[in-house]
Amino acid sequence: MKRIFLFLLTNFAVILVLGVVCSVLGVDRFLTRQGLNLPMLLAFSAIIGMGGSFISLALSKWMAKRSTGAQVITQPASAQQAWLLATVEREARAAGIGTPEFAVYEAPEPNAFATGMSRNSAMVAVSTGLLQAMSQEEIEAVLGHEVSHIANGDMVTLSLIQGVLNTFVIFLARVIGYFVDGALRRGDDRGGVGIGYYVTYMVMQLVLGVFATMIVCAFSRWREFHADAGGAHLAGKRKMIAALQRLKSSQAPSTLPQNMTAFGIASGARSLFATHPPLEARIARLQQEGV
């Protein structure tokens, strides 16, 4: 609940800061001359930007189950499942969070993800490929990595950052569109907006959206290093390094849906748009750290 409160507080702070900056720069007066209301535009941008992220977060666990076909394990049907449930419960207790749901989904590549709206209402899922390819120690480390994502509140924080950036993109694209349209239609007394607004708005949505995506991906890469450290703390540094090395040797393409890729463990590339750092960099970071 603390992070949800932070989500709402940040939303309010973004609106306040944008309002002050627009007032200082005279944007509010320009918008008024265009027949627009700055507070209403700010509220609209925040509702669309933050609202979309909040809804995605609230539905994240349900969508993950639907998109991957993950089956939640409540009663173990084998010794392996009993060990998996016990391991998740033990690591969650060590991390100070409620025990997340545990699920398995069909996929050939070794992969896993964590999702959910809060630290105490989350889910950890692993692929059948991971269970087949990894040793028990390596699986323990992967589960620790995912439990650390939950304990760190990464899902909420990522949604918060995405929501703030969405708000900025929607607001700035519209304001720039009004400015360009006003300049193009100087002396034109007709009401409403012209084609200049719509073209500029669409172009700025694209351009600003690209920059926003780069920021979100940068945070996603940063959180992977911290989740690796968390997995090393919960399961052991040697086990976490071994798990990452196993993932590196696999090189199987991820079959996770596009909207779930950022939450998997196995991806990674040297790119501004990569959600995960290269596995070589993650292994090197762990080897250097005294976990």
Side-chain angles (χ1 to χ4, degrees):
M1 288 304 297
K2 184 185 297 184
R3 287 181 179 268
I4 298 299
F5 174 74
L6 176 62
F7 194 106
L8 297 174
L9 183 63
T10 304
N11 193 0
F12 175 77
V14 168
I15 295 174
L16 182 62
V17 170
L18 281 175
V20 171
V21 170
C22 288
S23 179
V24 171
L25 297 178
V27 174
D28 57 338
R29 294 185 292 275
F30 168 79
L31 292 176
T32 299
R33 290 195 299 270
Q34 302 297 311
L36 299 168
N37 184 293
L38 176 62
M40 290 295 291
L41 181 57
L42 285 170
F44 171 82
S45 301
I47 289 171
I48 299 299
M50 285 286 188
S53 293
F54 188 83
I55 292 171
S56 295
L57 177 64
L59 297 176
S60 60
K61 193 160 62 171
W62 177 82
M63 289 192 298
K65 293 176 183 177
R66 294 276 300 194
S67 60
T68 64
Q71 298 296 312
V72 176
I73 308 299
T74 54
Q75 295 296 326
S78 65
Q80 184 189 49
Q81 288 185 1
W83 176 81
L84 289 165
L85 289 172
T87 302
V88 170
E89 181 179 2
R90 172 175 56 79
E91 292 182 336
R93 186 167 57 249
I97 62 173
T99 302
E101 291 181 335
F102 175 75
V104 177
Y105 67 98
E106 289 284 341
E109 84 281 2
N111 213 337
F113 65 86
T115 189
M117 188 173 182
S118 72
R119 287 158 46 101
N120 296 316
S121 179
M123 181 181 76
V124 171
V126 299
S127 69
T128 52
L130 181 139
L131 296 178
Q132 294 165 3
M134 287 193 169
S135 68
Q136 194 172 80
E137 288 189 345
E138 292 163 351
I139 294 172
E140 180 185 356
V142 170
L143 293 175
H145 173 99
E146 301 304 336
V147 167
S148 295
H149 270 312
I150 299 169
N152 295 339
D154 286 341
M155 287 77 76
V156 176
T157 306
L158 191 64
S159 295
L160 173 63
I161 292 173
Q162 183 69 71
V164 169
L165 291 171
N166 287 346
T167 299
F168 272 97
V169 169
I170 293 170
F171 178 76
L172 291 176
R174 287 178 178 272
V175 169
I176 294 171
Y178 285 124
F179 266 106
V180 172
D181 190 60
L184 293 176
R185 300 177 63 201
R186 188 167 298 168
D188 189 343
D189 295 330
R190 289 178 297 174
V193 293
I195 188 65
Y197 166 78
Y198 295 106
V199 172
T200 304
Y201 173 69
M202 288 188 290
V203 171
M204 293 311 302
Q205 276 270 92
L206 178 62
V207 173
L208 295 173
V210 168
F211 284 108
T213 300
M214 290 169 58
I215 295 172
V216 171
C217 289
F219 170 76
S220 182
R221 293 193 298 272
W222 175 84
R223 71 177 189 154
E224 286 303 315
F225 286 122
H226 281 258
D228 286 342
H233 175 74
L234 292 172
K237 179 178 176 179
R238 177 183 60 81
K239 296 177 184 177
M240 191 70 242
I241 291 175
L244 294 176
Q245 289 173 333
R246 179 74 67 182
L247 292 172
K248 181 183 174 184
S249 65
S250 169
Q251 297 296 325
S254 175
T255 59
L256 280 176
Q258 188 65 34
N259 64 322
M260 295 297 302
T261 302
F263 298 102
I265 188 176
S267 58
R270 295 188 183 280
S271 167
L272 291 174
F273 298 98
T275 57
H276 290 57
L279 287 164
E280 298 89 341
R282 294 166 64 181
I283 293 169
R285 175 74 68 89
L286 276 178
Q287 290 173 333
Q288 294 168 4
E289 291 179 348
V291 180

